Amino acid sequence: MKNQTHNGWTNYPTWKINLEMIDDLDTDHWTDFIEDNRGSDMLVYNLGQEIREYVEEKFYSECVTEKDLVYQYALAFIADVNWREIADHVLDTYKENYWCDNCGTRVDERYQSNYCSSECAREDELLATHPKG
């Protein structure tokens, strides 16, 4: 089967798995893994493998045995998934919600009035008041 982009994703399997199994998960699901591997050159790749294992386990838990035909079809379907693309998406969302844009320190989105430093507060104020365009 020829891979064709689908809704801005690499292909239909990547879009479908992200939509149905990953996008509904709160990024908090990946917090420990992301924070434990933060700074690693392999973070995106390893997160992609972690996501792949999560999806395979979900499929396996829904099937009776590894010989189950449905399980085999599911594995065949996900063989074309671009796990790195999904990992990039998860990591971008996580960074947007939890990492300070100015210094990269992990911050909790529930406490947006608390900045990492006065420099971060000034940067946020500058960005908020800067004319758009």
Side-chain angles (χ1 to χ4, degrees):
M1 182 169 122
K2 184 178 174 186
N3 284 346
Q4 297 179 343
T5 61
H6 188 83
N7 287 340
W9 292 83
T10 299
N11 54 30
Y12 177 77
T14 303
W15 170 78
K16 187 70 169 172
I17 291 298
N18 183 71
L19 178 69
E20 300 288 332
M21 300 185 76
I22 305 303
D23 230 17
D24 287 342
L25 286 177
D26 190 342
T27 53
D28 287 346
H29 181 85
W30 311 107
T31 296
D32 289 340
F33 185 87
I34 291 170
E35 292 299 331
D36 289 348
N37 292 279
R38 188 175 176 163
S40 167
D41 293 340
M42 300 292 290
L43 175 58
V44 175
Y45 173 80
N46 290 335
L47 179 59
Q49 295 307 301
E50 189 76 10
I51 293 168
R52 180 187 54 80
E53 289 173 16
Y54 169 82
V55 169
E56 286 177 357
E57 287 173 18
K58 292 293 276 183
F59 283 159
Y60 184 76
S61 69
E62 299 293 322
C63 300
V64 178
T65 69
E66 286 186 18
K67 293 182 181 182
D68 189 330
L69 186 59
V70 173
Y71 179 69
Q72 296 302 317
Y73 279 122
L75 291 180
F77 179 76
I78 66 171
D80 289 333
V81 169
N82 183 337
W83 300 109
R84 184 179 203 92
E85 183 177 16
I86 293 175
D88 272 330
H89 176 70
V90 167
L91 190 57
D92 286 347
T93 302
Y94 184 84
K95 286 178 179 179
E96 184 177 303
N97 291 334
Y98 296 111
W99 287 0
C100 176
D101 289 338
N102 187 47
C103 67
T105 301
R106 188 187 190 304
V107 293
D108 193 326
E109 69 178 353
R110 294 171 290 193
Y111 307 109
Q112 289 181 354
S113 62
N114 295 335
Y115 295 95
C116 305
S117 66
S118 57
E119 182 181 344
C120 291
R122 282 192 304 274
E123 181 72 17
D124 188 56
E125 179 65 25
L126 178 67
L127 290 172
T129 58
H130 190 272
K132 310 267 187 287

mmCIF file of all heavy atoms in Angstrom, residues 4-23:
data_model
loop_
_atom_site.group_PDB
_atom_site.id
_atom_site.type_symbol
_atom_site.label_atom_id
_atom_site.label_comp_id
_atom_site.label_asym_id
_atom_site.label_seq_id
_atom_site.Cartn_x
_atom_site.Cartn_y
_atom_site.Cartn_z
ATOM 1 N N GLN A 4 0.231 7.720 1.785
ATOM 2 C CA GLN A 4 -0.206 9.033 1.360
ATOM 3 C C GLN A 4 -0.545 9.836 2.604
ATOM 4 O O GLN A 4 -1.081 9.293 3.566
ATOM 5 C CB GLN A 4 -1.427 8.936 0.451
ATOM 6 C CG GLN A 4 -1.156 8.208 -0.835
ATOM 7 C CD GLN A 4 -2.389 8.097 -1.700
ATOM 8 O OE1 GLN A 4 -3.504 8.270 -1.240
ATOM 9 N NE2 GLN A 4 -2.185 7.810 -2.971
ATOM 10 N N THR A 5 -0.238 11.129 2.555
ATOM 11 C CA THR A 5 -0.540 11.954 3.718
ATOM 12 C C THR A 5 -2.047 11.947 3.978
ATOM 13 O O THR A 5 -2.853 11.748 3.067
ATOM 14 C CB THR A 5 -0.054 13.400 3.525
ATOM 15 O OG1 THR A 5 -0.715 13.960 2.402
ATOM 16 C CG2 THR A 5 1.449 13.453 3.353
ATOM 17 N N HIS A 6 -2.380 12.154 5.257
ATOM 18 C CA HIS A 6 -3.785 12.151 5.640
ATOM 19 C C HIS A 6 -4.003 13.186 6.744
ATOM 20 O O HIS A 6 -3.415 13.079 7.820
ATOM 21 C CB HIS A 6 -4.210 10.763 6.127
ATOM 22 C CG HIS A 6 -5.678 10.639 6.343
ATOM 23 N ND1 HIS A 6 -6.559 10.375 5.321
ATOM 24 C CD2 HIS A 6 -6.431 10.770 7.455
ATOM 25 C CE1 HIS A 6 -7.787 10.328 5.795
ATOM 26 N NE2 HIS A 6 -7.736 10.574 7.087
ATOM 27 N N ASN A 7 -4.810 14.182 6.474
ATOM 28 C CA ASN A 7 -5.124 15.242 7.442
ATOM 29 C C ASN A 7 -3.874 15.858 8.067
ATOM 30 O O ASN A 7 -3.831 16.139 9.265
ATOM 31 C CB ASN A 7 -6.055 14.720 8.538
ATOM 32 C CG ASN A 7 -7.466 14.500 8.043
ATOM 33 O OD1 ASN A 7 -7.875 15.055 7.028
ATOM 34 N ND2 ASN A 7 -8.220 13.688 8.746
ATOM 35 N N GLY A 8 -2.842 16.038 7.270
ATOM 36 C CA GLY A 8 -1.619 16.668 7.739
ATOM 37 C C GLY A 8 -0.624 15.721 8.390
ATOM 38 O O GLY A 8 0.441 16.141 8.821
ATOM 39 N N TRP A 9 -0.951 14.444 8.468
ATOM 40 C CA TRP A 9 -0.066 13.442 9.061
ATOM 41 C C TRP A 9 0.587 12.626 7.946
ATOM 42 O O TRP A 9 0.142 12.631 6.812
ATOM 43 C CB TRP A 9 -0.863 12.526 9.994
ATOM 44 C CG TRP A 9 -1.341 13.251 11.217
ATOM 45 C CD1 TRP A 9 -2.460 14.028 11.315
ATOM 46 C CD2 TRP A 9 -0.716 13.300 12.490
ATOM 47 N NE1 TRP A 9 -2.556 14.550 12.573
ATOM 48 C CE2 TRP A 9 -1.506 14.114 13.319
ATOM 49 C CE3 TRP A 9 0.434 12.735 13.010
ATOM 50 C CZ2 TRP A 9 -1.173 14.367 14.643
ATOM 51 C CZ3 TRP A 9 0.761 12.985 14.332
ATOM 52 C CH2 TRP A 9 -0.037 13.799 15.143
ATOM 53 N N THR A 10 1.622 11.870 8.296
ATOM 54 C CA THR A 10 2.361 11.058 7.334
ATOM 55 C C THR A 10 1.445 10.172 6.509
ATOM 56 O O THR A 10 1.591 10.059 5.303
ATOM 57 C CB THR A 10 3.390 10.161 8.063
ATOM 58 O OG1 THR A 10 4.309 11.003 8.747
ATOM 59 C CG2 THR A 10 4.136 9.270 7.101
ATOM 60 N N ASN A 11 0.502 9.509 7.171
ATOM 61 C CA ASN A 11 -0.401 8.576 6.503
ATOM 62 C C ASN A 11 -1.627 8.326 7.378
ATOM 63 O O ASN A 11 -1.716 8.828 8.505
ATOM 64 C CB ASN A 11 0.324 7.259 6.181
ATOM 65 C CG ASN A 11 0.965 6.643 7.409
ATOM 66 O OD1 ASN A 11 0.499 6.801 8.534
ATOM 67 N ND2 ASN A 11 2.054 5.916 7.200
ATOM 68 N N TYR A 12 -2.564 7.563 6.835
ATOM 69 C CA TYR A 12 -3.796 7.268 7.565
ATOM 70 C C TYR A 12 -3.539 6.532 8.881
ATOM 71 O O TYR A 12 -4.103 6.912 9.910
ATOM 72 C CB TYR A 12 -4.756 6.463 6.667
ATOM 73 C CG TYR A 12 -6.025 6.070 7.373
ATOM 74 C CD1 TYR A 12 -7.035 7.008 7.580
ATOM 75 C CD2 TYR A 12 -6.215 4.772 7.839
ATOM 76 C CE1 TYR A 12 -8.202 6.659 8.242
ATOM 77 C CE2 TYR A 12 -7.374 4.413 8.496
ATOM 78 C CZ TYR A 12 -8.366 5.360 8.696
ATOM 79 O OH TYR A 12 -9.507 5.012 9.361
ATOM 80 N N PRO A 13 -2.712 5.478 8.927
ATOM 81 C CA PRO A 13 -2.490 4.793 10.210
ATOM 82 C C PRO A 13 -1.935 5.724 11.301
ATOM 83 O O PRO A 13 -2.348 5.654 12.460
ATOM 84 C CB PRO A 13 -1.495 3.680 9.868
ATOM 85 C CG PRO A 13 -1.735 3.391 8.426
ATOM 86 C CD PRO A 13 -2.061 4.739 7.826
ATOM 87 N N THR A 14 -1.022 6.613 10.937
ATOM 88 C CA THR A 14 -0.453 7.539 11.922
ATOM 89 C C THR A 14 -1.537 8.473 12.442
ATOM 90 O O THR A 14 -1.672 8.692 13.653
ATOM 91 C CB THR A 14 0.701 8.352 11.301
ATOM 92 O OG1 THR A 14 1.683 7.438 10.795
ATOM 93 C CG2 THR A 14 1.335 9.283 12.315
ATOM 94 N N TRP A 15 -2.313 9.039 11.533
ATOM 95 C CA TRP A 15 -3.403 9.935 11.923
ATOM 96 C C TRP A 15 -4.413 9.204 12.805
ATOM 97 O O TRP A 15 -4.817 9.708 13.851
ATOM 98 C CB TRP A 15 -4.087 10.478 10.665
ATOM 99 C CG TRP A 15 -5.354 11.219 10.946
ATOM 100 C CD1 TRP A 15 -5.470 12.502 11.409
ATOM 101 C CD2 TRP A 15 -6.689 10.723 10.802
ATOM 102 N NE1 TRP A 15 -6.807 12.829 11.564
ATOM 103 C CE2 TRP A 15 -7.572 11.747 11.195
ATOM 104 C CE3 TRP A 15 -7.221 9.505 10.378
ATOM 105 C CZ2 TRP A 15 -8.953 11.601 11.162
ATOM 106 C CZ3 TRP A 15 -8.591 9.357 10.352
ATOM 107 C CH2 TRP A 15 -9.446 10.398 10.745
ATOM 108 N N LYS A 16 -4.824 8.010 12.394
ATOM 109 C CA LYS A 16 -5.869 7.269 13.097
ATOM 110 C C LYS A 16 -5.423 6.845 14.502
ATOM 111 O O LYS A 16 -6.175 6.988 15.466
ATOM 112 C CB LYS A 16 -6.263 6.030 12.274
ATOM 113 C CG LYS A 16 -7.447 5.273 12.804
ATOM 114 C CD LYS A 16 -8.717 6.050 12.612
ATOM 115 C CE LYS A 16 -9.931 5.185 12.893
ATOM 116 N NZ LYS A 16 -11.162 5.959 12.901
ATOM 117 N N ILE A 17 -4.208 6.339 14.634
ATOM 118 C CA ILE A 17 -3.714 5.916 15.946
ATOM 119 C C ILE A 17 -3.590 7.126 16.863
ATOM 120 O O ILE A 17 -3.981 7.084 18.032
ATOM 121 C CB ILE A 17 -2.378 5.155 15.823
ATOM 122 C CG1 ILE A 17 -2.598 3.801 15.152
ATOM 123 C CG2 ILE A 17 -1.715 4.988 17.193
ATOM 124 C CD1 ILE A 17 -3.517 2.839 15.897
ATOM 125 N N ASN A 18 -3.046 8.218 16.342
ATOM 126 C CA ASN A 18 -2.947 9.421 17.177
ATOM 127 C C ASN A 18 -4.330 9.897 17.601
ATOM 128 O O ASN A 18 -4.552 10.188 18.774
ATOM 129 C CB ASN A 18 -2.205 10.539 16.449
ATOM 130 C CG ASN A 18 -2.044 11.738 17.345
ATOM 131 O OD1 ASN A 18 -1.276 11.717 18.296
ATOM 132 N ND2 ASN A 18 -2.796 12.790 17.069
ATOM 133 N N LEU A 19 -5.254 9.964 16.667
ATOM 134 C CA LEU A 19 -6.603 10.449 16.957
ATOM 135 C C LEU A 19 -7.342 9.560 17.956
ATOM 136 O O LEU A 19 -7.921 10.045 18.922
ATOM 137 C CB LEU A 19 -7.415 10.539 15.655
ATOM 138 C CG LEU A 19 -8.864 10.983 15.801
ATOM 139 C CD1 LEU A 19 -8.927 12.440 16.201
ATOM 140 C CD2 LEU A 19 -9.620 10.738 14.494
ATOM 141 N N GLU A 20 -7.301 8.265 17.730
ATOM 142 C CA GLU A 20 -8.112 7.340 18.522
ATOM 143 C C GLU A 20 -7.472 6.888 19.829
ATOM 144 O O GLU A 20 -8.173 6.545 20.774
ATOM 145 C CB GLU A 20 -8.447 6.095 17.687
ATOM 146 C CG GLU A 20 -9.214 6.378 16.421
ATOM 147 C CD GLU A 20 -10.662 6.766 16.672
ATOM 148 O OE1 GLU A 20 -11.220 6.324 17.687
ATOM 149 O OE2 GLU A 20 -11.222 7.506 15.844
ATOM 150 N N MET A 21 -6.135 6.859 19.880
ATOM 151 C CA MET A 21 -5.498 6.256 21.055
ATOM 152 C C MET A 21 -4.573 7.189 21.828
ATOM 153 O O MET A 21 -4.327 6.953 23.003
ATOM 154 C CB MET A 21 -4.725 5.007 20.634
ATOM 155 C CG MET A 21 -5.615 3.956 20.004
ATOM 156 S SD MET A 21 -4.741 2.446 19.654
ATOM 157 C CE MET A 21 -4.617 1.751 21.293
ATOM 158 N N ILE A 22 -4.044 8.211 21.192
ATOM 159 C CA ILE A 22 -3.047 9.041 21.853
ATOM 160 C C ILE A 22 -3.578 10.430 22.193
ATOM 161 O O ILE A 22 -3.389 10.923 23.301
ATOM 162 C CB ILE A 22 -1.768 9.173 20.991
ATOM 163 C CG1 ILE A 22 -1.216 7.798 20.627
ATOM 164 C CG2 ILE A 22 -0.721 10.021 21.701
ATOM 165 C CD1 ILE A 22 -0.900 6.899 21.799
ATOM 166 N N ASP A 23 -4.268 11.060 21.262
ATOM 167 C CA ASP A 23 -4.715 12.440 21.459
ATOM 168 C C ASP A 23 -5.649 12.588 22.656
ATOM 169 O O ASP A 23 -5.681 13.642 23.270
ATOM 170 C CB ASP A 23 -5.396 12.952 20.189
ATOM 171 C CG ASP A 23 -4.855 14.299 19.763
ATOM 172 O OD1 ASP A 23 -3.772 14.690 20.236
ATOM 173 O OD2 ASP A 23 -5.512 14.963 18.951
#
